[in-house]
Amino acid sequence: MHRNAPRNAPRRSKTVRNTLACAAVALPVLLVAGCSSDSDQGKESDSPSASASKSPTVAPAKFKKLPDSCKSIGKDTVKDVVPGTDDKSGKKVGSGDADDSNSCLWSGLDKYDYRQLTLSFKRFDSDPAIGSGAKRAADHVKQQLDEKSANKSNRDLKEFKVSGVGDEASAVAYEAKKEDTKGKTSDFRAERLVTRVANVVVTVDYEGAGFEDAKKPDADEVKKNAEKAAKEAVKQIN
């Protein structure tokens, strides 16, 4: 009896055989790559970030306290720059922590000549977020000068550097009209001198007028008296 030959299994195409062979090789490679990736991620998570930055640092402020502005210039100096004053000890202006800022005022009338002096100290601490005490003080110097320069009621403005007073010093000279308590207007000549010593700023406002048709002080007198007060006050910073 004749038997039919068994039906041959279908032959796989060459393309299919190649695909299966590649898959067999690729599978272990993927497994190895997966393990390697997990291991690397673990190492990265354990190490600190390379992009982490250090906290900024600034130089510490030099001065921690301020002198008393009312005691920063002698009574002979007060008598010289503010003739006719009734109180050579001065009058404290403002309130708060005197080691952060304090001001003193002297005024006097000698016959018809009026003079006024205001002396202020302001201290700045160092702060990593906004800068060193010295830098903050330097910024304040500019602000104090700009305050007078920006005032449109001030006339004949002249800004200039001042040598020999603190680490840096500048002044603004100007003229202004002021009204007294009786409603009478007078011409004033004035100067603001601002100087810095490390993290401390000294501001001197000096002005004068002549009442009853008396002449206002000349520019040289105002400049000389403002500088005299500033130089004496700076010596008290320690």
Side-chain angles (χ1 to χ4, degrees):
M1 179 170 160
H2 179 73
R3 294 182 180 177
N4 290 331
R7 191 177 294 176
N8 290 335
R11 293 174 60 92
R12 292 175 178 149
S13 69
K14 185 177 180 181
T15 302
V16 173
R17 290 199 304 274
N18 288 342
T19 301
L20 292 174
C22 291
V25 173
L27 183 58
V29 172
L30 289 173
L31 291 174
V32 171
C35 295
S36 174
S37 176
D38 291 342
S39 175
D40 291 343
Q41 288 177 357
K43 290 180 181 178
E44 289 178 2
S45 63
D46 293 339
S47 62
S49 174
S51 63
S53 59
K54 295 181 180 179
S55 299
T57 58
V58 293
K62 183 175 182 179
F63 299 108
K64 300 298 183 183
K65 293 183 178 181
L66 291 175
D68 184 338
S69 53
C70 286
K71 297 178 181 178
S72 62
I73 58 176
K75 291 184 178 181
D76 288 341
T77 299
V78 173
K79 183 179 178 180
D80 186 29
V81 302
V82 191
T85 182
D86 294 328
D87 185 5
K88 295 183 178 65
S89 298
K91 179 182 178 181
K92 288 186 181 296
V93 180
S95 59
D97 189 347
D99 284 333
D100 285 337
S101 64
N102 65 81
S103 302
C104 194
L105 168 70
W106 296 265
S107 61
L109 183 63
D110 184 21
K111 294 183 179 180
Y112 300 114
D113 294 326
Y114 178 78
R115 303 291 184 269
Q116 179 174 296
L117 168 68
T118 306
L119 194 152
S120 304
F121 289 105
K122 189 169 180 63
R123 186 182 65 84
F124 294 86
D125 286 321
S126 294
D127 186 331
I130 52 181
S132 68
K135 180 186 179 302
R136 296 178 64 199
D139 292 341
H140 186 68
V141 169
K142 186 177 184 306
Q143 291 170 5
Q144 289 291 87
L145 296 169
D146 289 347
E147 185 179 281
K148 290 298 182 184
S149 298
N151 190 334
K152 294 183 179 180
S153 65
N154 295 335
R155 311 184 315 272
D156 298 330
L157 288 157
K158 294 177 182 178
E159 186 170 337
F160 52 93
K161 296 289 185 181
V162 180
S163 60
V165 187
D167 296 336
E168 61 169 323
S170 296
V172 177
Y174 59 96
E175 294 185 23
K177 288 186 177 293
K178 292 189 177 184
E179 190 175 283
D180 62 21
T181 56
K182 296 180 181 180
K184 186 176 180 179
T185 301
S186 300
D187 285 324
F188 278 73
R189 194 186 299 276
E191 180 175 314
R192 168 169 283 185
L193 190 160
V194 191
T195 182
R196 178 183 67 84
V197 182
N199 61 309
V200 174
V201 175
V202 182
T203 302
V204 172
D205 283 302
Y206 185 77
E207 59 186 39
F211 296 148
E212 299 296 334
D213 297 327
K215 293 182 179 180
K216 62 180 178 287
D218 61 33
D220 287 340
E221 178 191 336
V222 173
K223 183 176 184 293
K224 180 189 72 173
N225 289 341
E227 289 185 13
K228 183 173 184 176
K231 287 178 179 178
E232 196 165 328
V234 162
K235 293 179 180 178
Q236 306 306 312
I237 303 172
N238 52 50

